[in-house]
Amino acid sequence: MTDALTNLLDLDPAQLVAFCGEMGEKPFRAKQLQRWIHQYGASDFAEMTDLAKSLREKLATRAVVRPLQVLSDHTSSDGTRKWLVDVGNGNAVETVFIPEETRGTLCISTQAGCAVNCRFCSTGKQGFSRNLTSGEIIGQLWMAEFALRKSKGVAPGPKGERQITNVVMMGMGEPLLNYEPTVKALKIMLDDNAYGLSRRRVTLSTSGVVPMIDKLGLDCPVALAVSLHASNDALRDSLIPLNRKYPLADLMAACRRYLEFAPRDFITFEYCMLDGVNDSDRHARELIALVQSRQNPVPCKFNLIPFNPFPESGLTRSPDHRIRAFAKVLMDAGIVTTVRKTRGDDIDAACGQLAGEVQDRTRVQERMQKMSTYQQKYGEDFGRIVEIRS
């Protein structure tokens, strides 16, 4: 019977107002509902004591707050916590909480699997299953916030200490290829009657879906991180196939346009450090030329990510001394550069390790093994061979 009910986790603020209107209720009821659901963690309408009994009875017949089912819950030795949540039909996604002294960051998934197939990401090796609904995306924040409060004895409600201060859409999937549900979830995160997060504290990470970057700037601009990982088109084509559709010149132009609307005055470029692939001083100098063009510079910072190896990739992590040398080249050019600290790798919760339980529907693993064989055979010429064949 619940299949016919509206899951209120799926509704953004404007939709919740419209839903209340359909029941003959005034807009302020939507705000009350939002506070109960997203600030108090209530899923039972009977608990919402400042709602009229007649409204609670209507809600019981028309709506539901349907949380995600947690399949597993693991905490790393460094405090990182990873949940595996069921999204139906044999698919599951992963959500990761990273605690730090001054903030708590939640890494959220937007798809079951991923169709982008970045070579260094273990999610991509399993292929794409489906997009998540907005309720499944915001449901990860709902689930994590109140699980963390419960474990720490923090009372629900707006006066209770918020456990999650930052959200990054860097989990499984490409957020901009699941655009509408992702934006609906963002609007709930930002709404003062829900989580009230600052746009500066919500970061969307994309592999470079240029038209959707432009659309996000108009619809719901938040902090933007771009998975760059290469300094030239031939190399990026081999690591991120999406680059063949939206090459670096187009991507840089989209980043400049986005900054007109962004809550921050810079773009974060994520760069996974791959031994012998993209980590030379020459690659660093190419990056400098890319973002510091005299005519069209892109204000930015670089976040260098030590690669988290998995067998199917055929790739290895750059040595620490090489990462430091690479960072120095960028910093000497005046570019703010950080090296991401690896967190949660003992529970496979580190960057690039999220795999969930999705079926390999695209034979990604087979193709990646072939690609690794080609690279070993042709060495430095591999990028040029890929460019010619594409």
Side-chain angles (χ1 to χ4, degrees), residues 7-140:
N7 183 9
L8 298 187
L9 289 176
D10 275 317
L11 305 185
D12 68 21
Q15 290 174 320
L16 195 54
V17 168
F19 180 77
C20 287
E22 291 171 5
M23 294 189 296
E25 300 290 338
K26 295 182 178 180
F28 79 90
R29 293 300 188 190
K31 295 181 180 180
Q32 288 179 305
L33 268 172
Q34 269 193 293
R35 288 194 288 268
W36 275 111
I37 296 167
H38 298 291
Q39 295 184 359
Y40 289 90
S43 58
D44 184 349
F45 299 124
E47 298 175 10
M48 303 179 184
T49 51
D50 63 350
L51 300 183
K53 184 179 179 182
S54 60
L55 174 55
R56 282 180 276 164
E57 290 173 349
K58 290 180 195 174
L59 288 168
T61 62
R62 301 188 188 191
V64 66
V65 178
R66 188 180 298 123
L68 294 168
Q69 180 185 355
V70 176
L71 299 176
S72 66
D73 179 353
H74 298 291
T75 301
S76 167
S77 58
D78 63 18
T80 300
R81 188 168 174 181
K82 181 178 77 171
W83 295 270
L84 180 71
V85 294
D86 182 20
V87 293
N89 297 321
N91 294 305
V93 299
E94 293 175 328
T95 307
V96 178
F97 176 69
I98 305 162
E100 298 176 83
E101 285 188 15
T102 58
R103 64 182 180 181
T105 301
L106 188 71
C107 182
I108 283 179
S109 296
T110 55
Q111 296 178 313
C114 185
V116 177
N117 187 21
C118 298
R119 190 173 166 219
F120 45 83
C121 180
S122 64
T123 304
K125 77 182 175 64
Q126 295 183 333
F128 173 72
S129 178
R130 72 169 178 86
N131 289 323
L132 300 188
T133 67
S134 54
E136 290 167 337
I137 297 171
I138 199 66
Q140 295 170 68

Side-chain angles (χ1 to χ4, degrees), residues 149-163:
R149 288 195 183 200
K150 183 177 181 180
S151 66
K152 294 188 177 183
V154 177
K159 294 183 180 180
E161 183 182 355
R162 181 188 292 166
Q163 302 303 296

